[in-house]
Amino acid sequence: VMTLADSLIHRILLEYKEEIPIDLAYQIDVVGSQRTLSQKMIKEAILVALEFEAEAHHEMLVGSMQLFRFGLDKLAGKMMHNEHTLPAPGVEIAAQLAKAEHCWVKLQPILKKLDQSHQVSKDEVKELAKEADVMLAAFDAMSDVLIKEAELI
């Protein structure tokens, strides 16, 4: 799943690949995708919980969850991205990645429940929204660090 914004970011990175080291370009690409995907995944989860076109959103949720997990693994240097393994994250990125991973782990029981029964409590929906904000802040912080690195080049 690639949004218009992700596609634009990807094209910009390809255009400036001579000026930005490939590792940094790929990190920026993956962080941007993860930011967008985290919002999409939580939106889909909430729509399933609200039983709004639940079947369609459930299918999208399952796919988003897989892509999100893959993205976290890519950022941690555990999985290839476009046939390229990202380097181990630096200290600042690792700290923010740990926050995003922590949110992901906290959301697993709710997401699993939604996957199996399509029903969660009102408090669990609030928890989804709360953790979404924390994840978004972590990806924003990662983007800020990576953009500052790119500006120094």
Side-chain angles (χ1 to χ4, degrees):
V1 172
M2 186 178 278
T3 66
L4 184 58
D6 288 334
S7 177
L8 178 62
I9 290 169
H10 188 75
R11 286 198 324 263
I12 289 169
L13 290 173
L14 288 176
E15 185 176 328
Y16 290 98
K17 70 181 179 183
E18 302 302 320
E19 298 172 30
I20 299 174
I22 196 72
D23 287 343
L24 182 56
Y26 279 141
Q27 284 177 308
I28 292 168
D29 188 29
V30 175
V31 167
S33 294
Q34 285 298 99
R35 184 186 189 285
T36 301
L37 192 55
S38 68
Q39 292 175 304
K40 182 180 183 309
M41 180 177 59
I42 297 301
K43 177 195 79 166
E44 291 161 353
I46 290 171
L47 290 173
V48 170
L50 295 173
E51 298 179 13
F52 180 79
E53 299 177 358
E55 285 304 316
H57 287 289
H58 174 257
E59 286 182 34
M60 290 186 279
L61 174 61
V62 170
S64 294
M65 288 167 54
Q66 288 177 323
L67 290 172
F68 189 80
R69 177 69 259 165
F70 293 156
L72 291 176
D73 288 345
K74 288 176 186 179
L75 287 172
K78 300 177 191 172
M79 186 176 188
M80 294 187 85
H81 177 68
N82 295 340
E83 300 179 8
H84 181 83
T85 302
L86 297 177
V91 174
E92 290 178 279
I93 298 293
Q96 296 304 323
L97 184 56
K99 287 180 186 178
E101 285 272 5
H102 180 74
C103 291
W104 176 246
V105 169
K106 283 177 73 174
L107 290 175
Q108 287 307 293
I110 300 171
L111 293 171
K112 190 175 204 173
K113 191 173 172 183
L114 273 173
D115 185 29
Q116 293 171 349
S117 70
H118 294 202
Q119 294 184 343
V120 292
S121 71
K122 193 176 194 177
D123 287 339
E124 289 169 317
V125 171
K126 288 179 183 177
E127 184 69 14
L128 284 170
K130 179 182 144 223
E131 293 304 320
D133 287 343
V134 175
M135 275 197 293
L136 195 57
F139 289 119
D140 283 345
M142 283 186 242
S143 290
D144 290 345
V145 169
L146 294 171
I147 289 168
K148 284 178 187 169
E149 283 182 37
E151 288 172 347
L152 295 174
I153 295 171

